[in-house]
Amino acid sequence: MASTILILTPAARRHILRMIGAVGPAVRRLDRQFTRLLQERPYDAAQISAFLAITPAAAARMGALHRFLLQVECNGRRLAKLNVPPAEVEEVLRDFGGLLDTQLEGKFQPAREQLQLATTLTLNHAYYQVREAESQAFFGIYRAEVEAEGVEDLLRRFVRILTQTFRARAGRLMLRSPIGKLARPLYIEGGRAGERLIADSEMQGRYASYWSYPLPPVGVVQFGFASAHRWLPRELALLESAAGRCREAMERVRMESEIRRLEAASRDAEEQERRRIGRELHDEAGQSLLLLRLQLELMEREAAPELRERLAEARGITERTVTELRRIIAALSPAVLDRLGLKRALHQLAARFQKMHAAELRLTVSAAAAALSPAAQEVIFRVAQESLQNIAKHSQATHVNLSLRAADSIVRLSVSDDGAGFCAETAWKKPMSFGLAGMRERAALLGGTLALRSAPGKGASVILQLPRNSAPEAPNGKDSRVSN
């Protein structure tokens, strides 16, 4: 509005003030005639009240141009929220101009045009203020859907955005399924009996009016206003639309949470099956092969010289099969974790790596690793195992660093090498039973991250970060709390 009044020169303002002074004696008659014209359209009482506040007659009643344009801006926003577009407002003001012709008898034409221009610019600015606020609200809700960490965070963001959009003094969300009167939209005046329906005791009795809007099945959102502020059609439509978007987002978050829960259950079932297969291979096939190796050794001792070479060869094949079977069992199920704990399991993994490969390995393990949950220890061990296997197969590295460190809230595993490197983007897409993509999913289930940094000729680093108190995510429950 301030920029609108600046387009009027001091001379133009003086002429406009003379013009509205000439209108003053006929203000009541002009208002009556204009009201009848508006009722014939027909417009409702709220729209008629807003139209009456933006005419030259309203300017004559106020006597001050600055205050009048402030009133125009306020009622321009009101008309926008009453779903009256700018073109229709201009048409209605032209109709008022016809009534004004009789009163002014062709005088003050330049002043009338200047006032009409200032009024139109102010109305258009107010209209687009409302549309911009709506766009910002929907953009904020979209961002909340993308950035929210769970249902409760989404709901808090939703309430904050709408509180700002409606210019409310306070906004609260009652996390309880709406029933009775709260199951429908309510306008509540302060000091009336309906105020007892306001869920937050800190809001009750503090505001002149309230809105209550149901968000089944999650809860009820409520706003407090400093003045008596009934919602207008556009505000109610915005609230309905925003609530619909929020419900859809909450359902997506709920489904994503359920998917993560099912993924965690599936991976747990997979791990249990791997452990079962590993035990059976160890107890049945492993023991049978060891017995076979012993029998071959005894036969080799007692056999004729011409058979000893063939029996020794068969014994060697059996020994290599036992060694390979042990490797498969270790890959299927890290039973060493259950027996030795994470720190000693990592030391054993490193020792096995150094026995089979020429690369120098430096291992650093924080003492705090022992306090981690079994799920976190397993993911850490698997990532270390997968990383060392990939280094052994592909990297041609001469130096490898494996480090596990714990801070106050984060545990960090880093496996790096100085080998050939590779394209990190391609590595995520390789299908492996315990590949990096699978490890990233397992880390995400515990609220952690897995990063891969590499480039051809520049070595590689795998960095796993997990919360110290990590555990598989569980679905959110419902309660009756109030959220700010």
Side-chain angles (χ1 to χ4, degrees):
M1 190 283 300
S3 60
T4 302
I5 200 167
L6 288 176
I7 69 171
L8 300 173
T9 65
R13 294 177 206 169
R14 286 196 299 271
H15 286 295
I16 290 171
L17 288 173
R18 291 194 194 104
M19 184 268 290
I20 61 178
V23 174
V27 164
R28 291 187 179 180
R29 176 175 58 80
L30 288 169
D31 281 349
R32 285 196 301 271
Q33 291 175 338
F34 191 43
T35 300
R36 284 197 298 270
L37 187 150
L38 293 171
Q39 288 171 338
E40 290 169 3
R41 292 294 179 104
Y43 288 109
D44 61 31
Q47 292 166 329
I48 291 172
S49 174
F51 279 128
L52 287 170
I54 62 174
T55 65
R61 276 196 303 274
M62 302 197 75
L65 190 56
H66 181 82
R67 288 172 53 208
F68 169 67
L69 290 177
L70 277 174
Q71 181 170 287
V72 170
E73 184 175 34
C74 177
N75 283 275
R77 287 195 295 266
R78 187 172 180 81
L79 285 166
K81 294 173 184 178
L82 287 165
N83 290 319
V84 184
E88 189 174 334
V89 177
E90 288 184 37
E91 182 183 346
V92 169
L93 288 178
R94 281 196 296 271
D95 292 340
F96 183 87
L99 300 176
L100 199 58
D101 288 340
T102 305
Q103 175 65 22
L104 296 180
E105 299 176 345
K107 299 175 184 178
F108 301 106
Q109 194 60 32
R112 287 178 63 183
E113 291 174 0
Q114 291 283 346
L115 181 60
Q116 182 179 350
L117 174 63
T119 302
T120 300
L121 288 175
T122 303
L123 287 169
N124 286 338
H125 177 68
Y127 180 85
Y128 289 108
Q129 271 186 328
V130 171
R131 292 299 182 265
E132 174 68 15
E134 292 174 355
S135 299
Q136 289 296 326
F138 280 113
F139 178 70
I141 290 171
Y142 169 75
R143 282 191 61 185
E145 292 175 26
V146 173
E147 298 175 359
E149 300 176 354
V151 173
E152 288 193 16
D153 185 34
L154 174 65
L155 292 172
R156 277 193 294 271
R157 291 169 183 252
F158 170 73
V159 173
R160 184 168 62 248
I161 290 163
L162 291 186
T163 301
Q164 294 170 353
T165 301
F166 296 129
R167 301 185 180 187
R169 289 294 182 89
R172 300 287 189 273
L173 177 71
M174 178 176 65
L175 295 173
R176 188 176 68 197
S177 184
I179 57 173
K181 291 182 178 180
L182 291 176
R184 64 178 187 274
L186 294 175
Y187 170 76
I188 301 168
E189 289 190 5
R192 302 288 183 89
E195 198 170 18
R196 61 183 174 78
L197 295 173
I198 302 303
D200 186 2
S201 59
E202 292 185 5
M203 278 182 66
Q204 276 188 19
R206 293 190 59 187
Y207 299 102
S209 62
Y210 306 88
W211 296 356
S212 178
Y213 195 87
L215 291 176
V218 175
V220 179
V221 62
Q222 296 180 328
F223 305 97
F225 296 88
S227 60
H229 180 46
R230 288 185 177 273
W231 50 48
L232 300 175
R234 191 81 191 179
E235 290 172 318
L236 185 57
L238 172 61
L239 187 55
E240 290 170 352
S241 182
R245 284 293 300 271
C246 187
R247 279 192 291 267
E248 291 172 8
M250 286 188 292
E251 180 62 17
R252 280 197 298 276
V253 170
R254 188 195 65 78
M255 291 181 68
E256 287 168 3
S257 177
E258 181 66 10
I259 288 169
R260 286 194 295 272
R261 187 189 67 79
L262 292 173
E263 284 179 349
S266 171
R267 292 194 179 279
D268 183 61
E270 175 188 330
E271 191 61 39
Q272 293 303 321
E273 182 63 10
R274 286 176 178 274
R275 289 176 184 273
R276 185 190 66 79
I277 293 171
R279 283 195 302 270
E280 290 193 3
L281 286 174
H282 178 273
D283 296 343
E284 302 296 332
Q287 296 303 318
S288 297
L289 284 170
L290 287 172
L291 181 60
L292 175 60
R293 189 194 66 80
L294 179 61
Q295 291 291 342
L296 287 170
E297 185 178 351
L298 293 173
M299 290 171 65
E300 183 185 350
R301 290 176 186 173
E302 298 172 359
E306 63 270 19
L307 293 177
R308 285 178 187 168
E309 184 176 348
R310 294 174 64 185
L311 286 168
E313 183 180 349
R315 180 172 53 80
I317 293 171
T318 305
E319 288 174 350
R320 288 194 296 274
T321 303
V322 169
T323 300
E324 181 63 15
L325 184 62
R326 284 172 176 164
R327 186 194 66 77
I328 292 170
I329 291 170
L332 276 172
S333 172
V336 66
L337 272 178
D338 299 332
R339 297 197 312 270
L340 305 177
L342 179 59
K343 185 174 181 178
R344 291 179 63 188
L346 289 175
H347 277 282
Q348 189 180 96
L349 187 65
R352 187 181 299 125
F353 174 86
Q354 289 188 298
K355 263 186 193 176
M356 300 176 67
H357 305 285
E360 179 185 340
L361 189 149
R362 181 182 176 188
L363 177 65
T364 307
V365 181
S366 166
L372 298 173
S373 69
Q377 290 189 36
E378 186 171 312
V379 170
I380 290 167
F381 183 84
R382 287 298 194 189
V383 170
Q385 183 183 52
E386 178 67 29
S387 300
L388 291 179
Q389 284 177 1
N390 287 339
I391 291 169
K393 288 178 184 177
H394 310 296
S395 78
Q396 301 171 357
T398 58
H399 291 84
V400 179
N401 286 320
L402 193 158
S403 135
L404 178 64
R405 301 183 184 279
D408 290 342
S409 58
I410 293 291
V411 59
R412 186 176 188 269
L413 172 73
S414 172
V415 186
S416 60
D417 67 76
D418 62 353
F422 49 86
C423 175
E425 194 63 33
T426 305
W428 290 119
K429 300 174 184 177
K430 285 187 178 180
M432 294 181 276
S433 59
F434 275 104
L436 292 170
M439 289 298 97
R440 181 162 64 175
E441 292 173 10
R442 287 170 180 260
L445 288 172
L446 299 179
T449 60
L450 184 72
L452 178 60
R453 299 170 187 165
S454 184
K458 295 186 178 179
S461 294
V462 177
I463 300 168
L464 170 70
Q465 289 197 153
L466 296 175
R468 285 283 295 273
N469 58 347
S470 55
E473 291 188 14
N476 291 309
K478 296 186 179 72
D479 57 32
S480 58
R481 289 172 290 148
V482 174
S483 176
N484 293 348

